[in-house]
Amino acid sequence: MLRRILGRGQPVAAGVPAATAEPTQPLETETEKHDYAVASEWELMWYKFKRHRLALICGVVVLLLYVVAAFVEFIAPYNPEAQNPAAAYQAPTRVHFVDAEGNFHLQPFVYGTTSQRNPDTFELEFVEDTSVIHPLQLFVRGDSYRMWGLFDANLHLFGVEDPNVRLYLLGADRQGRDMFSRIVHGTRISMSIGLVGVVMSFVIGIVVGGISGYFGGTVDLVVQRIIEFIRSMPTIPLWLGLAAALPADWSILQIYFAITVILSLIGWTGLAQVVRGRALALREEDFIMAARLSGTSRTRIIVRHMVPSFMSHIIAALTLAVPEMIIAETALSFLGLGLRYPAISWGVLLQEAQNLRSIALAPWLLAPGAMVVIAVLALNFFGDGLRDAADPYKR
Amino acid sequence: MQNQTVPSDSPLLELRDLRTGFALREGYVKAVDGASFSVARGETIGVVGESGCGKSITARTILRIAGTNDSELGGEALFRRRTRDGRPGEVVDLLKLAPNGREIRSIRGAEIAMIFQEPMTAFSPVHTIGNQIIEAIQLHHPVSKDEARATAIDMLRRVEMSNAERRIDAYPHQLSGGMRQRAMIAMALVCRPQLLLADEPTTALDVTTQAQILALIRQLKAELGMSVMMITHDLGVVAETAQNVAVMYLGKVVEYADVRALFHDPKHPYTQALLASIPKLGREAGARLHPVKGMVPSPFNRPRGCPFNTRCPKAMPGVCDVDMPGPTTIKPGHTVSCFLYGAGDTRTEAAQ
Amino acid sequence: MSVAEQNAARSSDTARARHRLLDVRKLTKHYPITEGLLRREVARVRAVDDVTFHVDTGETLGLVGESGCGKTSTGRCLLRAIDPTSGEMVFDYGDGRVVDIAKLEGRALKDLRKDMQMVFQDPFSSLNPRWTLLDLVGEPLVAFRVAKGRELEDRVAELLRRVGLRPEYLRRYPHAFSGGERQRISIARALALNPRLVVADEPVSALDVSVRAQTLNLLEDLQQELGLTYIFISHDLSVVQHICDRVVVMYVGQVVEVADTSSLFFTPKHPYTEALLSAVPKPDPDLASSRIVLKGEVADPSNVPKGCAFHPRCPYAVDHCRQVEPKLETLGDGRQVRCHRAHELSLSGVE
Ligand SMILES: Nc1ncnc2c1ncn2[C@@H]1O[C@H](COP(=O)(O)OP(=O)(O)OP(=O)(O)O)[C@@H](O)[C@H]1O
Ligand SMILES: Nc1ncnc2c1ncn2[C@@H]1O[C@H](COP(=O)(O)OP(=O)(O)OP(=O)(O)O)[C@@H](O)[C@H]1O
Ligand code: SF4
Ligand SMILES: [Mg+2]
Ligand SMILES: [Mg+2]
């Protein structure tokens, strides 16, 4: 066998296996370290990432947010557009465990509310009707919806059985719509606009950055100047200008895509620079040259050597780019230049809450802002953790 | 304070069972694990060993710059300070000093200086080398800037930097590797330290430049009467520069001897193996090398007993892989930590 | 050609007398130094300048010199990892095919890879950390469609065994290995296609002293068993003396001396070789260090001194050296030197 593979040169003494060098000693104790020895890049990243407590927790939060975004209709107890003039600006419904008689209930419950106008101030006031207990239940039937455009359903994750009793976990807006349901629905657009925008910037960034880093030289120089030029432009006025130019009669879907394109036109520069930096570093790595000298084709080098070496870095950079997009969308919509009613995003919700009265009377209308903060922080910490773990081979 | 009755042969620095450990997530690293040797006045001591054996950490522990917060220190490092008029002064235990206190700072740079393998780590890239040397002078001596500059130029001339008046205003990156090394030596020596810790000062240099730098260190040592601790993995450098040599393996000093004894009559199996494994320039070149088998164990997974027992051709099963041998004095000035020569001068020490 | 035929053809190689495997003539590699957006060339680094030498089958040719003298550039030109500026590199397959490596393109260049391989200096950057040993060592076998599946595994396992690694390590990643072991993996990969010539660029410089000896022994054994030819690039003269049959000494891109190892080390003919030898620290405290300490620094390859490139540092330089560039001359005994005074000087080598 040996001879067949390597059998040139002076004949090896027949029958004596050519033990060239004494096998090196086993590393560590064979079994104990075995997992580590055969751990792939992603496993090593996972070991490293796990040590970041905060990043791990934030990762879970991000995951939850995207699960919510995927199942909004099911998670939201009501149709976000269901109006109820009687409940305008109703404060968040209180969830009780202890009833009016002081008895403890294991299952949380709410009381129904009746509204009446205060004769002095003419404000609507809400009074809890403590005679009937309405327990909160899982999997209740309620408003019907069409899930992912595929099938009709009316099952909701939680709610109150009695259709006459409304549950306003985060209060109601001017038209008596349930804020909680609206925020949940806003999650879909707000979280996805970041993803879709990032995917677009990723495509631009990876192509431009890859070209810049792979060819280097003059191409690189020109691309770098362009990137610097784009980066030096103040982003907010630019967004505003571009967004203001969108035709007013476009559909939600058109605006949605227009906005993501605008965001990614500006957001790709950072990604391009990450890709370029990695490509330049990789060009110097001996293993790329070794692959070339082994006769490996150019395509295979790119696909099997270069792209996998980028992947972890790019995923980290992408994760860090998502929150920027979320903030940008929120800002644009808040200024009335992004998405508009009837689209629901956190920015649109904030825009609707844009008056003094609501801040004074119904501060719960600002809850979408809190969601933006949570989402952005979680994504940032998660991305930081990923970035630190992205190069598990660092010596 | 001790007075002038200091015997002239009392050591400048004495390490007694020096220990430095780091608690890391992966485990506990005993970077230096009981190093004992002393450095006499005007002597060059070589510290040799392979990568990761704790050479640098030994030097850094003496200067108290070894990963200050996360490191655990043990043993003693007794250093004889110098009085203002240049005579031997009191003895301090460097390990007992506050790591960033006034006393250690007045020793660092002024009485003990260090040079590194990579001069760029010693220089800040944004200041000229002149300003950095001047700053080093003014840190320890109350002199005017002009005086300090004159001293700096004088020092650069001593390290044979051509065009010292002009080069003093150069930034580190404008100098070649050899010149940077000279500038770093100038900065280290400008306060006339009693002890120079040279951590692989020539490893990154070409042979001809290395020869220049080694000659320079030797000459300055004679001129300034300082002691040098020459840390290197190159046995050739040790043979050429040192009077006494400490061989380290996995944080331990396994053999300590004067340079002739070490090269002609090595006692410790590791020293013997090391000497047999290097190709020697000269007539016997081409003879088959005798490598040490296996590799240096990971610092997290040191073998039980003698640190070398897993690779040692003379290891005695049941002895070497059970207990740690202590330093045994073979003859004055030559100690070995190996069971072939006894279990150690004092059993209590060996039991640790 | 099937593997069997190939091997039959090759085993007849050994029967044949040594032949000239590679003949390098006037090899030159200049790197332009450019400025500005238009990449105007403002100067050029003469990394390899008119280098001529040859390699015979079965020998180890050393390439020594100080940092920046163009050793790596030369080695990479030989493998066409970089394209030379000019010159010829004639490679004789020994079966009638003779090619000029400098002119190879496409298919023919790829074919050359089967016969010329490289071992790199840095054991960390030369192995893709995301690949298992099977992928790494098997890479050339896959690229040339020599083996796949079970057969690939068998072959890689044999290669690993051959370089002293356990075949069970097949599924491990390089991060689980030390520098010395990684260098063995590199060697296994270089040997996968059964090459004739291996260019080893400082293969032991990054290794620990005790591991260095293991690797040198391994290289020697493999050469014995497989009839390999090495070009061994190093700046460490004691290693070169140990392993090389002949040595080429380079100084700022030029060959200054070529000789067989013992002549070169015991009776150097070029003042630079002499200085180099005397500068090496010898691991023997009794060898009084009466060394020649050169003044100045290695010349800058983008600004090579006029006349003899070595004259600013040469202790024997005369006026003629400052004016006229010496040629690489062949002395009576087949040695080559680039020095005006080579005939008159009597230089000392190692004891
Ligand atoms: N700051 C630190 N924290 C934790 N461990 C450290 C630290 N510095 C060094 N070590 C560990 O201590 C051990 C000794 O390191 P040291 O730098 O002294 O080795 P060395 O002998 O100088 O090696 P080299 O020849 O590579 O410079 C090594 O195992 C190293 O990994
Ligand atoms: N890609 C490049 N572009 C420009 N100059 C280069 C390039 N590669 C090498 N050089 C220069 O060419 C000269 C020779 O470099 P080379 O790497 O061949 O030297 P070497 O002898 O291998 O040195 P070392 O011992 O440091 O590895 C050096 O001055 C170097 O700076
Ligand atoms: S030619 Fe002159 S300067 Fe050059 S090496 Fe010979 S003697 Fe020295
Ligand atoms: Mg060190
Ligand atoms: Mg090189």
Side-chain angles (χ1 to χ4, degrees):
Chain A
M1 182 53 162
L2 258 175
R3 296 272 283 286
R4 188 155 58 82
I5 301 171
L6 300 152
R8 182 150 53 80
Q10 283 95 347
V12 183
V16 182
T20 295
E22 66 284 11
T24 49
Q25 292 205 309
L27 297 157
E28 324 297 335
T29 13
E30 201 68 13
T31 47
E32 165 197 14
K33 278 282 180 172
H34 188 70
D35 290 348
Y36 171 73
V38 297
S40 70
E41 179 187 18
W42 301 104
E43 287 169 273
L44 289 180
M45 276 178 72
W46 172 237
Y47 295 153
K48 212 169 158 188
F49 181 75
K50 265 198 309 198
R51 297 209 296 250
H52 274 263
R53 267 285 154 66
L54 184 61
L56 200 62
I57 295 168
C58 288
V60 174
V61 172
V62 170
L63 191 72
L64 275 179
L65 282 172
Y66 278 107
V67 169
V68 168
F71 298 98
V72 282
E73 292 89 347
F74 170 64
I75 288 167
Y78 301 112
N79 182 336
E81 297 302 340
Q83 300 188 358
N84 182 5
Y89 293 126
Q90 179 167 338
T93 313
R94 291 174 60 191
V95 177
H96 300 269
F97 284 94
V98 180
D99 64 23
E101 282 91 53
N103 298 324
F104 180 81
H105 298 253
L106 206 56
Q107 192 173 19
F109 63 89
V110 294
Y111 291 120
T113 38
T114 49
S115 60
Q116 45 192 238
R117 210 162 277 280
N118 183 318
D120 299 331
T121 60
F122 296 106
E123 297 280 357
L124 271 179
E125 286 184 350
F126 301 94
V127 177
E128 282 188 334
D129 168 10
T130 55
S131 56
V132 192
I133 282 175
H134 301 280
L136 281 183
Q137 280 168 332
L138 285 176
F139 307 114
V140 290
R141 306 260 160 208
D143 296 343
S144 59
Y145 53 86
R146 198 167 171 79
M147 191 73 191
W148 298 330
L150 294 178
F151 55 90
D152 290 311
N154 61 1
L155 192 69
H156 294 264
L157 179 63
F158 65 95
V160 185
E161 287 284 6
D162 184 346
N164 296 319
V165 175
R166 307 285 292 187
L167 169 74
Y168 293 114
L169 277 185
L170 289 174
D173 68 1
R174 195 156 50 93
Q175 280 121 10
R177 293 176 296 199
D178 173 28
M179 272 313 282
F180 180 77
S181 298
R182 289 179 72 73
I183 288 176
V184 168
H185 275 264
T187 309
R188 177 168 285 170
I189 285 183
S190 288
M191 294 299 288
S192 71
I193 209 160
L195 272 195
V196 175
V198 150
V199 167
M200 275 195 214
S201 350
F202 169 68
V203 173
I204 307 176
I206 205 166
V207 170
V208 178
I211 288 173
S212 185
Y214 190 82
F215 292 103
T218 313
V219 180
D220 183 38
L221 218 62
V222 172
V223 171
Q224 286 316 301
R225 292 299 93 74
I226 295 175
I227 289 185
E228 277 162 27
F229 176 69
I230 297 182
R231 293 209 128 185
S232 67
M233 286 192 291
T235 43
I236 303 236
L238 199 66
W239 285 334
L240 295 185
L242 288 171
L246 297 181
D249 56 350
W250 274 14
S251 71
I252 296 185
L253 206 67
Q254 278 173 317
I255 299 224
Y256 176 90
F257 278 110
I259 296 280
T260 50
V261 168
I262 290 172
L263 296 184
S264 45
L265 276 183
I266 294 155
W268 64 271
T269 53
L271 282 169
Q273 280 181 331
V274 172
V275 174
R276 165 180 177 268
R278 287 299 301 160
L280 282 180
L282 272 178
R283 279 207 321 180
E284 301 300 313
E285 293 275 5
D286 285 342
F287 68 77
I288 299 285
M289 179 172 287
R292 212 143 60 77
L293 296 182
S294 300
T296 307
S297 69
R298 198 176 250 242
T299 340
R300 200 175 143 84
I301 290 181
I302 293 178
V303 175
R304 291 274 277 121
H305 281 287
M306 301 192 70
V307 173
S309 322
F310 285 164
M311 240 32 235
S312 55
H313 291 265
I314 286 180
I315 289 176
L318 284 178
T319 314
L320 288 170
V322 173
E324 285 178 34
M325 300 269 166
I326 293 180
I327 290 192
E329 184 275 331
T330 309
L332 279 181
S333 302
F334 179 74
L335 293 173
L337 291 162
L339 293 165
R340 284 185 284 267
Y341 181 82
I344 305 175
S345 78
W346 293 335
V348 173
L349 294 178
L350 283 174
Q351 202 254 334
E352 288 172 359
Q354 223 183 54
N355 53 57
L356 275 178
R357 204 176 123 84
S358 59
I359 296 171
L361 263 177
W364 50 87
L365 293 187
L366 297 180
M371 288 308 293
V372 174
V373 172
I374 291 174
V376 166
L377 281 183
L379 278 161
N380 269 326
F381 287 132
F382 176 57
D384 277 343
L386 279 185
R387 191 180 50 197
D388 290 348
D391 200 352
Y393 303 110
K394 214 183 287 164
R395 272 172 287 148
Chain B
M1 164 122 39
Q2 272 170 326
N3 46 27
Q4 279 69 15
T5 56
V6 178
S8 58
D9 62 340
S10 84
L12 179 63
L13 175 73
E14 189 174 359
L15 304 183
R16 290 192 187 153
D17 198 32
L18 185 78
R19 287 161 194 280
T20 311
F22 299 98
L24 302 179
R25 284 204 189 86
E26 294 87 341
Y28 191 80
V29 181
K30 293 178 178 174
V32 183
D33 188 20
S36 310
F37 56 86
S38 55
V39 186
R41 225 162 262 287
E43 171 192 42
T44 299
I45 174 161
V47 178
V48 267
E50 294 180 277
S51 182
C53 69
K55 308 182 294 292
S56 302
I57 298 296
T58 305
R60 288 168 170 269
T61 306
I62 294 169
L63 269 188
R64 302 298 307 280
I65 52 172
T68 42
N69 293 327
D70 51 351
S71 60
E72 288 172 27
L73 308 181
E76 290 170 57
L78 304 175
F79 178 68
R80 185 172 297 283
R81 296 206 56 177
R82 142 177 94 185
T83 59
R84 193 145 300 154
D85 49 4
R87 276 185 311 221
E90 61 173 330
V91 173
V92 292
D93 182 353
L94 296 172
L95 301 191
K96 297 266 175 353
L97 303 180
N100 265 313
R102 213 163 50 81
E103 180 150 24
I104 189 73
R105 277 187 285 128
S106 70
I107 293 177
R108 226 183 261 155
E111 293 185 45
I112 307 180
M114 184 156 176
I115 55 179
F116 305 88
Q117 174 175 344
E118 188 31 73
M120 283 312 258
T121 55
F123 283 114
S124 147
V126 296
H127 298 290
T128 62
I129 55 163
N131 282 342
Q132 298 184 53
I133 297 177
I134 290 169
E135 199 188 320
I137 301 173
Q138 289 185 322
L139 197 64
H140 298 291
H141 300 285
V143 291
S144 76
K145 189 148 185 189
D146 286 341
E147 284 173 280
R149 190 179 165 89
T151 316
I153 293 179
D154 176 57
M155 201 63 223
L156 286 176
R157 284 216 193 92
R158 273 171 183 262
V159 297
E160 288 159 13
M161 176 97 79
S162 53
N163 254 329
E165 299 81 358
R166 254 194 27 238
R167 286 233 171 94
I168 189 168
D169 292 318
Y171 288 90
H173 67 91
Q174 293 169 328
L175 301 177
S176 69
M179 281 299 154
R180 276 205 288 268
Q181 210 72 10
R182 286 172 192 272
M184 181 167 62
I185 293 175
M187 180 154 92
L189 299 188
V190 76
C191 292
R192 312 270 167 133
Q194 306 193 67
L195 175 63
L196 177 70
L197 307 175
D199 190 359
E200 314 239 12
T202 58
T203 305
L205 301 178
D206 279 326
V207 263
T208 56
T209 320
Q210 164 170 287
Q212 294 171 343
I213 298 290
L214 291 181
L216 178 69
I217 293 178
R218 198 177 308 138
Q219 175 201 334
L220 289 171
K221 183 196 128 202
E223 274 177 38
L224 307 179
M226 63 183 177
S227 309
V228 178
M229 188 160 145
M230 178 67 76
I231 296 173
T232 176
H233 65 267
D234 187 334
L235 288 161
V237 170
V238 172
E240 297 222 338
T241 56
Q243 281 98 54
N244 286 299
V245 186
V247 182
M248 291 187 74
Y249 186 77
L250 276 186
K252 280 201 162 308
V253 174
V254 293
E255 183 159 8
Y256 176 90
D258 76 84
V259 69
R260 286 215 157 66
L262 192 92
F263 279 87
H264 296 318
D265 188 20
K267 294 294 186 204
H268 198 283
Y270 176 64
T271 318
Q272 292 168 350
L274 214 51
L275 283 167
S277 74
I278 50 170
K280 285 171 206 67
L281 216 50
R283 295 286 163 197
E284 321 105 87
R288 185 139 178 109
L289 300 176
H290 301 283
V292 191
K293 70 174 192 226
M295 331 161 276
V296 182
S298 131
F300 303 109
N301 206 346
R302 344 167 113 249
R304 215 171 106 94
C306 168
F308 189 56
N309 84 70
T310 50
R311 306 173 74 190
C312 180
K314 296 178 187 160
M316 297 169 286
V319 182
C320 298
D321 50 3
V322 179
D323 264 341
M324 191 92 99
T328 309
T329 304
I330 294 186
K331 59 176 201 265
H334 192 160
T335 51
V336 186
S337 297
C338 171
F339 284 118
L340 294 172
Y341 307 97
D345 292 341
T346 47
R347 271 305 284 172
T348 44
E349 232 181 79
Q352 288 185 350
Chain C
M1 209 188 327
S2 78
V3 177
E5 277 173 89
Q6 224 168 348
N7 278 326
R10 287 192 170 183
S11 48
S12 68
D13 278 8
T14 36
R16 194 177 307 170
R18 283 192 164 194
H19 73 273
R20 191 154 291 190
L21 183 64
L22 180 67
D23 208 344
V24 179
R25 297 183 202 131
K26 294 190 171 303
L27 181 70
T28 300
K29 174 72 191 174
H30 292 175
Y31 296 102
I33 305 176
T34 56
E35 242 175 33
L37 198 61
L38 297 175
R39 320 229 116 219
R40 202 162 39 87
E41 185 180 316
V42 289
R44 34 181 47 203
V45 180
R46 302 158 81 86
V48 181
D49 202 11
D50 193 17
V51 162
T52 299
F53 62 87
H54 66 89
V55 193
D56 290 333
T57 49
E59 75 171 341
T60 302
L61 179 75
L63 217 54
V64 292
E66 291 179 284
S67 170
C69 72
K71 306 181 295 293
T72 298
S73 300
T74 305
R76 295 194 169 183
C77 283
L78 295 181
L79 288 147
R80 281 290 296 283
I82 54 176
D83 288 334
T85 312
S86 66
E88 287 174 33
M89 300 175 282
V90 180
F91 188 79
D92 185 348
Y93 282 91
D95 53 7
R97 286 182 296 156
V98 179
V99 293
D100 179 0
I101 297 174
K103 298 208 177 59
L104 291 183
E105 286 305 332
R107 186 77 230 162
L109 182 58
K110 190 175 170 186
D111 269 348
L112 177 77
R113 310 270 181 240
K114 282 194 260 185
D115 288 280
M116 268 174 103
Q117 276 298 324
M118 179 149 181
V119 177
F120 294 83
Q121 170 171 5
D122 184 349
F124 289 87
S125 107
S126 58
L127 301 174
N128 187 342
R130 291 160 187 84
W131 284 27
T132 61
L133 297 205
L134 175 63
D135 295 330
L136 286 167
V137 177
E139 187 174 24
L141 298 171
V142 171
F144 282 93
R145 304 209 166 81
V146 178
K148 59 177 187 227
R150 204 53 249 154
E151 198 196 344
L152 182 69
E153 277 178 34
D154 289 346
R155 284 199 167 206
V156 172
E158 287 299 340
L159 284 162
L160 291 182
R161 190 170 304 149
R162 166 61 51 118
V163 297
L165 291 171
R166 296 164 171 247
E168 306 91 85
Y169 292 168
L170 220 50
R171 309 251 168 241
R172 292 190 173 196
Y173 288 87
H175 64 246
F177 295 91
S178 69
E181 290 170 310
R182 281 158 172 257
Q183 212 57 319
R184 287 168 189 252
I185 302 170
S186 280
I187 294 171
R189 173 176 60 190
L191 296 181
L193 290 168
N194 201 2
R196 287 156 209 265
L197 178 63
V198 174
V199 177
D201 189 356
E202 314 244 10
V204 295
S205 305
L207 303 182
D208 258 331
V209 187
S210 66
V211 178
R212 184 174 298 182
Q214 296 172 355
T215 313
L216 288 174
N217 282 351
L218 172 66
L219 286 170
E220 285 180 324
D221 293 342
L222 290 170
Q223 179 168 45
Q224 282 272 307
E225 288 159 22
L226 310 174
L228 291 170
T229 308
Y230 290 136
I231 292 183
F232 191 93
I233 298 175
S234 179
H235 65 267
D236 185 334
L237 286 150
S238 31
V239 170
V240 166
Q241 191 192 13
H242 175 79
I243 200 165
C244 296
D245 302 315
R246 275 189 321 122
V247 182
V248 173
V249 184
M250 291 181 72
Y251 187 74
V252 280
Q254 296 179 325
V255 174
V256 295
E257 183 162 6
V258 185
D260 66 88
T261 307
S262 60
S263 322
L264 188 99
F265 279 78
F266 297 123
T267 54
K269 290 286 184 202
H270 196 283
Y272 178 62
T273 315
E274 183 192 41
L276 215 50
L277 290 171
S278 108
V280 179
K282 325 268 181 312
D284 185 347
D286 289 342
L287 290 179
S289 46
S290 58
R291 63 162 46 146
I292 308 160
V293 175
L294 285 180
K295 44 187 197 296
E297 310 226 335
V298 181
D300 174 2
S302 63
N303 184 15
V304 183
K306 198 170 153 276
C308 171
F310 186 55
H311 86 254
R313 308 179 73 193
C314 180
Y316 309 103
V318 292
D319 253 354
H320 188 54
C321 308
R322 291 183 254 278
Q323 308 299 332
V324 185
E325 187 180 336
K327 297 255 163 308
L328 190 64
E329 260 186 277
T330 307
L331 302 183
D333 45 358
R335 304 178 54 172
Q336 291 175 301
V337 192
R338 191 191 285 271
C339 171
H340 292 306
R341 304 190 59 195
H343 301 281
E344 40 179 314
L345 294 174
S346 115
L347 307 175
S348 51
V350 295
E351 286 92 64

